[in-house]
Amino acid sequence: MLIGVIADDFTGASDIANTLTKGLPGEGGLLTAQYMGVPRGAAQSDVEAGVVALTSRSIPADDAVVQSLEALKWLLAQGCRQIVFKYCSTFDSTPDGNIGPVAEALAKRLGVKGVVVCPAFPGAGRTIYQGHLFVRDRLLSESGMEKHPLTPMTDPDIRRWLTRQTTEPVGLAAMETVGQGSDALREALAQAGERGETLVVTDAISNSDLEVIGAACADAPLITGGSGVALALPANFIRRGEARGTENSFAGIEGAEAILAGSCSGATRRQIEVHAKTHPTLAIDVDAVMSGALTGEQVLSFIEENSGRAPLAYSSGDPVAVAAAQEKYGREAVAARLDTLFGETARVLVDRGTRRLVIAGGETSGAVVQALGLGALRVGPEIDPGVPILTNAEGTLALALKSGNFGSENFLAKALDAMAGR
């Protein structure tokens, strides 16, 4: 294994696994596997990039550090030459963690400073300029992320946000440096390390900037960022003859299908609205779930009765309604009950023969994948930017784990068609 990734949620893991599998146009990517948590045994010998998916984004920072260091230990044991700490391209965190503490802990364990921090993903409209994160033409704090129910991002200045989370100085490699090319950026990162800056927020507004970052970090033991930061990393190994550059192939998996959505992002709510115009949908009312009036068996019955029609069950609501439910029952209680509902529903569906699953939302995806007890997943073709098809080792189950903000308006039906090879 050449590259090892520690991802702080399941959809983000799929996102960067997709990036590593694709690589740069014309050069190919790496044979990539995604693992649901830290594996107990060794990776298969042909895997060139391994992505360990954790559920560490919203847990206490100390616990996130412990989990991440455990993943690092396993990846190093597989021979990884480069580690990537992957977090969301909207830098989902709070002033108390978890991105800064985990990044610092990984850097300390690897003995490095001047480590890139770059959540940019231009293909999805996430860019960084002068250390400030934008979502398309809006600052992060004006993009809707300031209303996120778990990790409200109220400050777009990533350097300032990280300073609240970390113990050591945070640097900036601005566009003026990135625009001078990989040699200039490599030197700037080295100088930042000499100044004692462990983490360095690095500007990127286009894929060409990400290529500069990838070339500058060809020999870097540690990189942190969104999936975009990995865009050019496979090419470093391919050009040195250490990897062949793989081409993705996928024949498709037919069979019963289901869509489960727990994300409250604007993009997912719009996808639900579009899907509901032509497909059966079931709105999961939080009050009904918390009171026991709506059970998992009812959700299962709805999906199975509508098999073949791309049925969708969702708990996604507008931020005001979500906040009201959290205030009434408690944020953790609501999250735990919904996660259990979605996870158990997915497990029973697969046991009864469902072969294609689309899951929207990071926490929901984590709950589903853990309930299914899947091992290593192979990364198939991309459905939409940042969302690939994942298949189990037996090739009998196809999954799409979609971050809440990702995907085109017709993504839900489109994903099911892609899984069937259509």
Side-chain angles (χ1 to χ4, degrees):
M1 195 179 290
L2 300 170
I3 296 177
V5 179
I6 302 166
D8 67 358
D9 84 334
F10 286 84
T11 57
S14 298
D15 183 4
I16 196 167
N18 177 62
T19 300
L20 291 167
T21 301
K22 288 196 307 179
L24 289 174
E27 300 210 39
L30 303 180
L31 198 157
T32 305
Q34 179 174 332
Y35 305 94
M36 306 300 110
V38 181
R40 295 186 178 182
Q44 290 183 296
S45 59
D46 62 341
V47 174
E48 297 171 320
V51 181
V52 176
L54 304 177
T55 54
S56 58
R57 178 171 297 175
S58 303
I59 65 176
D62 289 345
D63 295 339
V65 168
V66 170
Q67 290 187 18
S68 301
L69 289 176
E70 182 184 359
L72 173 65
K73 181 178 179 181
W74 183 82
L75 289 166
L76 293 177
Q78 310 314 305
C80 288
R81 308 245 296 277
Q82 190 165 62
I83 300 296
V84 181
F85 170 38
K86 196 278 175 191
Y87 38 81
C88 188
S89 59
T90 47
F91 212 74
D92 297 10
S93 60
T94 67
D96 298 322
N98 292 353
I99 295 174
V102 170
E104 275 195 333
L106 295 173
K108 182 177 180 180
R109 183 63 58 89
L110 292 169
V112 294
K113 290 185 179 292
V115 175
V116 162
V117 172
C118 185
F121 186 1
R126 280 71 159 162
T127 57
I128 306 175
Y129 182 70
Q130 298 299 330
H132 288 64
L133 184 53
F134 289 79
V135 178
R136 296 184 174 84
D137 62 343
R138 300 288 181 184
L139 286 165
L140 178 66
S141 55
E142 302 171 6
S143 67
M145 281 302 299
E146 71 276 14
K147 299 176 183 178
H148 192 285
L150 297 179
T151 53
M153 294 300 297
T154 57
D155 188 348
D157 187 331
I158 300 304
R159 182 168 45 165
R160 186 163 56 205
W161 198 257
L162 268 179
T163 299
R164 297 167 179 162
Q165 300 178 345
T166 56
T167 60
E168 298 182 357
V170 179
L172 173 66
M175 184 53 60
E176 292 86 345
T177 299
V178 176
Q180 294 175 39
S182 58
D183 290 341
L185 177 57
R186 188 181 303 111
E187 178 60 25
L189 294 172
Q191 292 176 359
E194 291 170 2
R195 292 193 298 268
E197 296 167 356
T198 297
L199 305 177
V200 182
V201 179
T202 306
D203 282 357
I205 61 175
S206 67
N207 281 351
S208 61
D209 297 327
L210 295 175
E211 292 185 38
V212 168
I213 294 170
C217 296
D219 299 311
L222 175 65
I223 305 164
T224 84
S227 63
V229 80
L231 177 68
L233 299 183
N236 294 327
F237 293 96
I238 294 168
R239 291 167 185 170
R240 293 194 295 247
E242 297 170 307
R244 292 182 300 172
T246 61
E247 299 243 347
N248 213 325
S249 60
F250 177 70
I253 295 175
E254 292 280 4
E257 78 294 340
I259 305 167
L260 303 175
S263 169
C264 297
S265 74
T268 296
R269 296 202 311 273
R270 176 57 181 160
Q271 289 159 355
I272 291 169
E273 180 183 346
V274 169
H275 194 79
K277 292 178 180 178
T278 53
H279 301 86
T281 59
L282 173 67
I284 296 174
D285 181 73
V286 174
D287 285 315
V289 172
M290 299 304 289
S291 68
L294 179 64
T295 66
E297 195 58 44
Q298 290 170 289
V299 178
L300 284 165
S301 295
F302 163 78
I303 292 173
E304 292 180 335
E305 288 169 3
N306 290 284
S307 181
R309 300 173 60 201
L312 160 67
Y314 68 94
S315 65
S316 308
D318 67 79
V320 174
V322 171
Q326 291 177 338
E327 179 69 22
K328 183 176 181 180
Y329 301 106
R331 188 179 75 177
E332 290 78 12
V334 171
R337 188 69 68 88
L338 289 175
D339 285 350
T340 299
L341 176 67
F342 281 122
E344 284 302 301
T345 297
R347 184 186 62 78
V348 176
L349 284 170
V350 171
D351 286 346
R352 293 179 181 177
T354 294
R355 292 294 172 256
R356 293 176 290 152
L357 277 176
V358 178
I359 314 297
E363 286 77 17
T364 306
S365 292
V368 166
V369 171
Q370 288 179 326
L372 293 177
L374 300 172
L377 296 175
R378 289 294 173 129
V379 183
E382 183 178 64
I383 304 167
D384 269 344
V387 192
I389 295 172
L390 301 173
T391 58
N392 63 352
E394 297 78 19
T396 57
L397 177 65
L399 292 163
L401 308 179
K402 186 193 84 71
S403 174
N405 290 308
F406 283 12
S408 53
E409 287 189 346
N410 65 338
F411 175 84
L412 301 177
K414 177 181 179 181
L416 291 175
D417 284 341
M419 291 175 184
R422 295 191 289 270

